């Protein structure tokens, strides 16, 4: 895109950034400076508002850009992400939503500490939460870089790099000035825009094929270069036993990982009651389910109308499939209609990225301040709510800088794939300790610490030793080769290790479980009695 069309897209970008900064300023003026206001927005959001915010937090660049791109490149196998991301919400609804709201205050560590010793638990869970958040942030940075590079000059490396830096700076501003209240309203606005944009594109794709899904799928198969194999399992994950095991590993990570994501669990603390948390989840499932059905149409639509080769030529990982599809549906390159539709979709996608990175940064900085800093200070004195908030703001800057650095390294990887790694770490380190704490009476402090580190360390180590980091042309460091683990996603190994470590730590623990505290936590989890 050049000239006036490029200017139009940049103006839409700028307009959204201005609106979100206005929301941040408004929310910052309403903020009382308390930890509850900064971390949980005063717990004043309704189930519908929080449901939209959860959907806005969850439907990330991986959803809008990455999944559609994978479907455009790999057909049936790419749909695994859509199915996995959606099915995961059943685990959240049935197992954790109400119980987490009743047991916790601001973070996942609050839930675990409700029934056992605090300091070691908070350190372990805080460390895993920050690790998951940084991995998730990297995916959003990569999505932003791919999007703006397409706008400003195709595959311009400089454009992508400066975009990563700019998004990181904006997310720090949102979090440090506005806290949870501003972040929530940004996510609500973003969810509405994203649903409207996806619905419009889906409608245009279906109109092209007169509502005939068979014609859409057959055309996509013909233009994919793979024929009928494009519509069958195995194109990406069926070449050998390693690929098939990677498929199982990825599915396990996607389905179980959502219940361990810190920024998703934090949303349940922004509503006043557990019933509101459950209703929020129902709202979010409706929105998210509708959206992921649309990503399937958009992915096959990009393959049918653009061709898989054109998508791959623009971005090898497929991250630009949806913006290119919008340009085509609006009339093509050089037309006003194409420029307008491309600009709108690009602005919506950019809004998606900004909203999600704000939520993740807030959750990770909260873990640093409320779990790591507060537990350290409690050994020496008392951590005041105001000192916690100050530390959270500093942590947001540090985490933002780390995410920027890693985002610059990972620019050539698919954003949905990167999110899959974050889900694997969350499912390995956070989910086992959460499930054991809520449902196992004999669980002990040693079991909790072993569970977190027993999932976190293998997951991170296996990623470092996998083809993602070295040993392949697509790796983060293609010139090096220290690959020892054959799978790209570690979930099939690290998730069972997390559960095993928690069990082993419990059965070998010298201290007996605190039956009284478990009974108190169980009553609180099931009834809400004593919940904040």
């Amino acid at each position: 895109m050049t000239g006036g069309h490029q200017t139009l897209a940049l103006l839409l970008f700028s307009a959204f950034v201005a609106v979100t900064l206005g929301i941040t300023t408004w929310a910052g003026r309403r903020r009382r400076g308390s930890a509850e206001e900064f971390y949980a927005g005063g717990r004043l959001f309704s189930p519908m508002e929080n449901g939209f915010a959860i959907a806005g937090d969850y439907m990330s660049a991986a959803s809008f850009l990455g999944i559609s791109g994978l479907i455009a490149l790999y057909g049936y196998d790419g749909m695994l992400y859509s199915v996995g991301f959606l099915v995961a919400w059943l685990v959240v609804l049935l197992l954790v939503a109400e119980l987490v709201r009743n047991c916790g205050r601001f973070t996942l560590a609050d839930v675990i500490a409700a029934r056992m010793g605090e300091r070691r638990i908070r350190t372990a869970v805080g460390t895993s939460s920050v690790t998951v958040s940084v991995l998730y942030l990297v995916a959003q940075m990569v999505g932003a870089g791919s999007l703006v590079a397409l706008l400003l000059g195709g595959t311009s490396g400089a454009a992508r790099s400066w975009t990563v830096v700019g998004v990181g700076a904006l997310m720090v501003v949102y979090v440090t000035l506005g806290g949870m209240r501003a972040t929530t309203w940004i996510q609500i606005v973003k969810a509405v825009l994203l649903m409207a944009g996806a619905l419009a594109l889906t409608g245009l794709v279906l109109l092209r094929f007169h509502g005939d899904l068979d014609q859409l799928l057959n055309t996509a198969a013909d233009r994919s270069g793979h024929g009928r194999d494009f519509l069958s399992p195995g194109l990406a994950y069926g070449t050998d036993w390693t690929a098939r095991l990677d498929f199982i590993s990825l599915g396990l990570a996607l389905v179980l990982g959502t219940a361990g994501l810190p920024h998703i669990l934090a949303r349940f603390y922004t509503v006043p009651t557990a019933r509101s948390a459950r209703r929020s989840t129902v709202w979010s499932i409706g929105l998210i389910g509708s959206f992921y059905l649309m990503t399937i149409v958009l992915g096959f639509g990009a393959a049918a109308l653009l061709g898989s080769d054109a998508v791959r030529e623009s971005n090898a990982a497929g991250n630009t499939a949806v913006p290119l599809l919008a340009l085509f549906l609006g009339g093509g390159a050089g037309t006003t209609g194409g420029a307008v539709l491309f600009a709108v979709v690009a602005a919506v996608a950019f809004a998606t990225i900004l909203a999600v990175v704000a939520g993740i940064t807030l959750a990770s900085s909260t873990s640093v301040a409320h779990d790591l800093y507060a537990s350290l200070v409690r050994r020496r004195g008392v951590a005041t709510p105001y000192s916690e908030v100050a530390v959270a703001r500093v942590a947001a800057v540090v985490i933002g800088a780390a995410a920027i650095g890693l985002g610059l390294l990972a620019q050539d990887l698919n954003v949905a794939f990167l999110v899959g790694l974050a889900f694997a770490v969350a499912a390995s380190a956070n989910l086992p300790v959460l499930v054991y704490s809520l449902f196992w009476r004999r669980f002990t402090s040693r079991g909790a610490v072993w569970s977190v580190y027993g999932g976190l360390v293998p997951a991170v180590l296996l990623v470092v030793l996998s083809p993602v980091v070295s040993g392949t042309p697509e790796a983060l460091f293609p010139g090096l080769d220290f690959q020892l683990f054959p799978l790209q996603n570690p979930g099939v190994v690290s998730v069972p290790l997390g559960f095993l470590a928690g069990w082993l730590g419990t059965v070998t623990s010298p201290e007996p479980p605190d039956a009284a505290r478990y009974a108190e936590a169980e009553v609180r989890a099931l009834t809400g009695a004593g919940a904040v």
Side-chain angles (χ1 to χ4, degrees):
M1 294 181 62
T2 57
H5 296 158
Q6 192 177 79
T7 302
L8 173 63
L10 289 173
L11 286 174
L12 283 171
F13 267 45
S14 302
F16 179 79
V17 171
V19 169
T20 54
L21 287 174
I23 293 172
T24 302
T25 304
W26 165 78
R29 289 176 178 174
R30 291 167 57 93
R31 181 167 42 83
R32 298 189 298 271
S34 67
E36 184 174 32
E37 180 70 24
F38 186 83
Y39 295 151
R43 308 186 198 280
L44 299 175
F45 293 101
S46 70
M48 184 180 73
E49 291 170 341
N50 196 45
F52 270 85
I54 291 173
D57 214 356
Y58 192 70
M59 296 184 302
S60 65
S63 304
F64 194 46
L65 302 178
I67 293 177
S68 300
L70 285 174
I71 294 173
L73 296 179
Y74 301 110
Y76 183 96
D77 281 9
M79 288 200 305
L80 172 65
Y81 286 87
S82 291
V83 175
F85 283 146
L86 177 58
V87 172
W89 278 96
L90 296 178
V91 178
V92 177
L93 177 64
L94 297 176
L95 287 183
V96 304
E98 286 189 73
L99 304 182
V100 164
R101 174 60 189 86
N102 283 339
C103 284
R105 190 180 177 205
F106 300 129
T107 65
L108 171 62
D110 288 334
V111 180
I112 317 302
R115 56 165 293 194
M116 55 189 67
E118 287 203 6
R119 186 174 61 83
R120 291 187 304 157
I121 301 298
R122 288 191 179 278
T123 301
V125 177
T127 301
S128 71
S129 296
V130 172
T131 303
V132 172
S133 298
V134 170
L135 284 173
Y136 211 112
L137 280 172
V138 170
Q140 312 311 311
M141 300 295 193
V142 171
S146 299
L147 183 68
V148 177
L150 183 64
L151 176 67
L152 296 181
T155 58
S156 169
R160 295 168 70 178
S161 299
W162 281 111
T163 301
V164 169
V165 175
V167 170
L170 279 172
M171 76 181 182
V172 171
V173 171
Y174 292 151
V175 171
T176 55
L177 294 183
M180 179 60 84
R181 188 183 295 274
T183 299
T184 299
W185 281 110
I186 291 169
Q187 288 162 348
I188 291 172
V189 171
K190 166 256 172 145
V192 173
L193 291 174
L194 184 59
M195 290 296 292
L199 185 62
L201 284 181
T202 301
L204 289 174
V205 170
L206 292 176
L207 281 175
R208 285 274 179 163
F209 295 93
H210 311 288
D212 189 340
L213 292 178
D214 283 342
Q215 184 184 358
L216 168 63
L217 295 176
N218 289 330
T219 306
D222 292 340
R223 299 204 61 191
S224 68
H226 299 285
R228 302 302 298 179
D229 291 342
F230 191 70
L231 305 178
S232 304
L235 189 58
Y237 295 106
T239 54
D240 52 31
W241 71 268
T242 303
R244 295 185 184 97
L245 195 57
D246 232 338
F247 182 87
I248 296 172
S249 187
L250 176 63
L252 186 67
L254 295 181
V255 172
L256 298 181
T258 300
L261 293 176
H263 66 290
I264 297 299
L265 296 176
R267 292 243 49 95
F268 296 128
Y269 303 129
T270 64
V271 290
T273 64
R275 182 170 182 265
S276 298
R278 183 178 68 251
R279 292 174 62 196
S280 297
T281 307
V282 173
W283 271 100
S284 64
I285 287 175
L287 293 167
I288 292 167
S290 303
F291 175 77
Y292 282 124
L293 288 175
M294 290 188 282
T295 61
I296 295 173
V297 175
L298 296 180
F300 282 112
L305 297 175
L306 303 173
S308 298
D309 289 341
V311 172
R312 189 177 288 105
E313 182 180 348
S314 172
N315 182 276
N319 294 329
T320 56
V322 170
L324 289 174
L325 177 64
L327 185 65
F328 179 88
L329 292 171
T335 65
T336 301
V340 169
L341 192 55
F342 174 88
V344 169
V345 169
V348 168
F350 200 64
T352 297
I353 293 164
L354 290 177
V356 172
V357 297
I360 302 168
T361 306
L362 179 61
S364 55
S365 61
T366 298
S367 290
V368 171
H370 187 63
D371 298 330
L372 302 179
Y373 166 76
S375 64
L376 177 65
V377 170
R378 284 190 191 100
R379 300 172 62 186
R380 305 172 184 171
V382 178
T384 66
Y386 295 100
S387 67
E388 277 194 32
V389 172
V391 170
R393 292 191 175 114
V394 174
V397 177
V398 175
I399 290 168
I404 289 171
L406 291 173
L408 293 174
L409 284 174
Q411 291 185 63
D412 293 326
L413 297 180
N414 181 275
V415 288
F417 167 74
L418 289 170
V419 166
L421 296 182
F423 272 61
V425 178
S428 305
N430 292 344
L431 183 65
V433 70
L434 179 61
V435 170
Y436 280 146
S437 296
L438 292 174
F439 300 107
W440 191 15
R441 185 180 299 272
R442 292 184 54 200
F443 198 45
T444 63
S445 296
R446 173 187 280 187
V449 174
W450 284 25
S451 180
V452 173
Y453 290 127
L456 176 64
V457 174
V460 174
L461 184 62
L462 290 176
V463 169
V464 171
L465 298 177
S466 74
V468 176
V469 176
S470 71
T472 63
E474 299 81 18
L476 292 180
F477 303 104
L480 301 176
D481 187 0
F482 46 86
Q483 173 196 341
L484 297 175
F485 182 65
L487 305 183
Q488 293 187 333
N489 192 292
V492 72
V493 175
S494 57
V495 173
L497 284 178
F499 280 99
L500 178 62
W503 172 82
L504 188 61
T506 297
V507 298
T508 61
S509 180
E511 81 273 13
D514 191 331
R517 288 191 68 172
Y518 175 77
E520 180 183 349
E522 185 177 36
V523 170
R524 179 173 161 183
L526 295 176
T527 67
V532 179

